[in-house]
Amino acid sequence: EMKPAAPLRYTLFGWLHDLEPYPSGLPKPLGTGNPSTGAAGLAKAAASNEVAGADAAVAAAAEARRRCEHGFRMKFGITPEELQLDSATSPAKLLLHRLTS
C-alpha cells in the first residue's frame, strides 16, 4: 500500500505521470520498450512511421486551419488575409470573445 504523499513514480502506473528523467545507469522505466536484435531496422521503421505521422498531423492542421478560416469568413465576413491566424495580432481572439458574449 502506498502512502497518499508518495510520488507517482512509485505507483503501479507511475511511469505514465513521470516527468523527471531517471538517473543514468538505471534500468529504463516501464513502457520504454526493450531493444531487440533487429533494433537498427526497427529504428528505421519507427523513424519512417514518425515522418508519416508528422505528415498526417501537418495535413490535419492545414485542414483545421482551412475550416477555421471558412467559419470566420461565414460568421463575420472576414477573409483569411484579414484574419491572419499565423500572426500574434490576429483579430480571432476578439471575434471569438464576441461569440461568447
Side-chain angles (χ1 to χ4, degrees), residues 1-86:
E1 185 173 309
M2 299 291 294
K3 294 197 179 231
L8 291 174
R9 171 178 277 184
Y10 300 108
T11 63
L12 180 62
F13 294 105
W15 58 275
L16 292 171
H17 304 280
D18 204 359
L19 301 177
E20 299 174 25
Y22 282 74
S24 61
L26 290 179
K28 292 184 178 183
L30 292 173
T32 56
N34 297 321
S36 65
T37 55
L42 291 175
K44 286 182 183 177
S48 69
N49 285 341
E50 287 180 20
V51 168
D55 289 343
V58 168
E63 174 62 15
R65 180 184 179 130
R66 186 195 64 73
R67 293 179 69 193
C68 181
E69 289 172 340
H70 176 73
F72 274 97
R73 186 173 60 249
M74 299 304 291
K75 181 68 178 174
F76 299 108
I78 187 169
T79 66
E81 293 77 25
E82 295 169 324
L83 187 59
Q84 303 171 10
L85 283 178
D86 55 351

